[in-house]
Structure formats: structure tokens, C-alpha cells
Amino acid sequence: SVVGAMSAFFPVSLDPNDKEQHITAATRLIAKMNMIAALIYRTDKNKSVIYPRQDLTYAENFMYMTFGDCTLPPGVVNHDMETFKLVAKAIDAFLILHADHEQNASTSTVRIAGSSQANPYACVAAGVASLWGPAHGGANEAVIQMLEKIGRPENVPQFVQDVKNKKDGVRLMGFGHRVYKNFDPRAKYFGELVIDVLDKLGVEDPHLDVARALQEAALNDPYFVERKLYPNVDFWTGIMLRGIGIPTNMFTVMFALARTVGWISQWKEMVEQPGLKITRPRQIYIGQPIRSM
């Protein structure tokens, strides 16, 4: 709702045929989403608004507007500027790796909305709505819930067996990908980054040990290898986000913050192509089989 309402505050950037207005709208969306994400955290914690600083980078400003005064949330042992920079670098990596990823559900939603010449704020708001669904934007949150359910590294073998036996209520989250049929290259990078960040922060997350044990078990089990079920990026990002103080219910917000760059880029590319037509998927009615009267 907040993203869509931006069109009321910035009506001068709504002309679908003005390329300069496209750049203006894109810049505003990317900039405002950073503050909106921080405001969600501050409001939830009943804290006052913190405005951005021009001497900080995009990721650093997110950390500053979220937690304030270049410090990190409670529970983090190291509270110095070097650690702040490291966490901001990790946030930056998260934003880059999630910025765009082919025609996923939310990106396709943005393009479909944009094909009607709806304003860019409304189109991105449509993308947020699509991302809201747990099957799309809730993947890393589901991984955390799975790790919590496993509980301890010694419980991993039984969990793996339950997955292989297709036991009711047991699901393997954070493995496999519709696009990557081998190892997700983003997951390899993030797996190393998570360990480095948590170590520097002095944060001890028991779920990290569970995640490493689960990854080791899956990578050495023919059942998962034959099915090409390798850890994807969502397997690690939840652990990192929680380690730096982002609550689980804000994971989808972080996803939307990162994906805004991809959404608005896809929208801009589409509306500036010659001969833009409204998207109209074809639906073939199959009907019922022959029924006796």
C-alpha cells in the first residue's frame, strides 16, 4: 500500500511515454524502498524515525536507518565501525544477489501490470503483492523454521531419512531450484559469507551448525545428488539476516528491497520497447469430459 501510494506523492513521474520520468521514478523507488524497509523495523520496535545520511552507502544507510548511530542490534558482541562496514557489505551482497532473477512470479507480475501502462509505483506494488506469497518470498523464512524443527545436528540423519520416506509434515526447504539444476552459485558464495559475518559479529547461532550438518548429509547422499537437490541461496540468507538482527518476519521485506532494482529495470526495459502491447495470455478452455445424462 505504501509503495503504491507513492504515485500520489510523485504524480509528475507517471507519464509512460517520457523516458526521463522513467529514470526519475526508478531512482525514487530504489531510494524510498530503503527507507520504507527501515521504517517497518523501527515502527515494529516502537522506535523513532532515523533519516538517511549522504556520507553512507546504500547498504550502510539501511543499517543506520534501521538500527541507528552506526551500531548493531543487541546480542552482537562487536560494536565497532569495522564490524558495521562488514555487515553493510553483507547486506550489499544480499541486495546484489537478489536484485533480478529471470521471469519469476513477482517480476512477471510487474511486467504484466506495466503492459497496461500502469504507473511504475503501482507496478512495483503489484510485484510486492506477488512476493508476499510464502511460495515465493517466504523461502528463507521456511528454511529457518525447518532448522528450528530439526533442532540439533545429531537430529539431521533422522530428518534426512524422513524426507526420503516422504513423511507427512516433513519438507526439505532451501534445496533445489527451478533454474539451477546443479549447485546454485549464489549459495556457494553466501555459505562462506555467512560463516565470516557471524564469526566477526561474535554471534553464535545454533542453526548454523544444523545447516552445515544438513548440507553435508545431503551432498553425500545419492538420493539428493541424483535428484540434483543442492542448497540454494535461500538456505543461507535467513541465517545471515537473523544473525545481523533482521527479524524473521522481515525477511520478505528484505527480498522486496533487493528485488526492486530488478522490477523497475524490467519495467523500464518493457515500456520503452517499440510497439508495447498489453499482456493478454491465451486461455484454452478444455471443458468437461463427456458425461452421461
Side-chain angles (χ1 to χ4, degrees):
S1 298
V2 174
V3 176
M6 288 174 63
S7 61
F9 289 90
F10 306 112
V12 294
S13 57
L14 302 183
D15 186 347
N17 300 311
D18 190 329
K19 293 184 179 181
E20 289 190 10
Q21 289 190 25
H22 297 172
I23 292 293
T24 300
T27 304
R28 281 181 175 147
L29 270 162
I30 294 168
K32 295 295 184 182
M33 287 292 276
N34 204 11
M35 188 163 194
I36 290 171
L39 279 172
I40 290 172
Y41 178 89
R42 302 289 295 180
T43 302
D44 182 63
K45 301 298 181 184
N46 198 28
K47 295 180 179 293
S48 59
V49 177
I50 297 177
Y51 291 93
R53 286 170 34 183
Q54 293 193 3
D55 61 317
L56 298 178
T57 67
Y58 190 83
E60 289 171 355
N61 254 317
F62 170 76
M63 293 295 297
Y64 171 68
M65 290 187 294
T66 302
F67 301 118
D69 300 326
C70 291
T71 59
L72 297 166
V76 175
V77 175
N78 302 316
H79 279 260
D80 53 28
M81 180 57 72
E82 182 181 353
T83 307
F84 173 78
K85 294 284 186 181
L86 172 69
V87 173
K89 181 181 177 182
I91 290 289
D92 202 35
F94 173 88
L95 297 177
I96 291 170
L97 292 177
H98 287 79
D100 194 35
H101 205 241
E102 297 190 341
Q103 291 305 304
N104 51 77
S106 57
T107 299
S108 297
T109 300
V110 171
R111 292 183 72 105
I112 290 172
S115 72
S116 72
Q117 297 189 352
N119 72 75
Y121 307 107
C123 295
V124 170
V128 172
S130 177
L131 191 67
W132 199 345
H136 187 14
N140 46 18
E141 185 175 349
V143 170
I144 293 296
Q145 293 169 352
M146 175 189 70
L147 296 176
E148 289 176 344
K149 187 174 182 179
I150 296 172
R152 304 173 64 170
E154 51 264 38
N155 296 334
V156 166
Q158 183 60 54
F159 176 80
V160 169
Q161 192 59 48
D162 290 343
V163 170
K164 292 160 68 174
N165 293 338
K166 297 180 171 58
K167 182 178 178 180
D168 288 343
V170 177
R171 291 191 63 192
L172 181 66
M173 308 304 298
F175 281 76
H177 199 278
R178 292 275 295 274
V179 175
Y180 301 117
K181 300 308 179 184
N182 290 301
F183 215 95
D184 184 341
R186 303 171 301 168
K188 185 177 185 302
Y189 174 80
F190 239 101
E192 298 170 355
L193 181 64
V194 166
I195 295 171
D196 187 37
V197 169
L198 296 190
D199 181 59
K200 292 290 197 310
L201 293 177
V203 173
E204 294 185 7
D205 189 338
H207 296 115
L208 178 59
D209 293 332
V210 177
R212 294 166 86 172
L214 181 56
Q215 176 181 248
E216 185 69 19
L219 293 180
N220 290 284
D221 192 310
Y223 177 90
F224 298 100
V225 174
E226 290 170 3
R227 290 165 175 76
K228 300 185 183 299
L229 294 175
Y230 302 102
N232 58 43
V233 69
D234 297 314
F235 186 70
W236 294 110
T237 53
I239 297 175
M240 189 206 74
L241 291 174
R242 196 170 67 166
I244 63 177
I246 304 297
T248 307
N249 61 3
M250 250 192 78
F251 284 2
T252 305
V253 175
M254 296 299 296
F255 200 163
L257 173 61
R259 191 52 61 88
T260 296
V261 174
W263 286 336
I264 199 63
S265 298
Q266 294 259 359
W267 170 84
K268 183 177 182 297
E269 175 190 65
M270 182 188 68
V271 298
E272 292 181 0
Q273 288 178 338
L276 172 67
K277 294 182 179 180
I278 189 169
T279 302
R280 184 67 166 82
R282 187 183 180 198
Q283 183 180 35
I284 300 176
Y285 178 69
I286 299 175
Q288 292 287 342
I290 297 176
R291 292 169 289 180
S292 59
M293 299 298 289

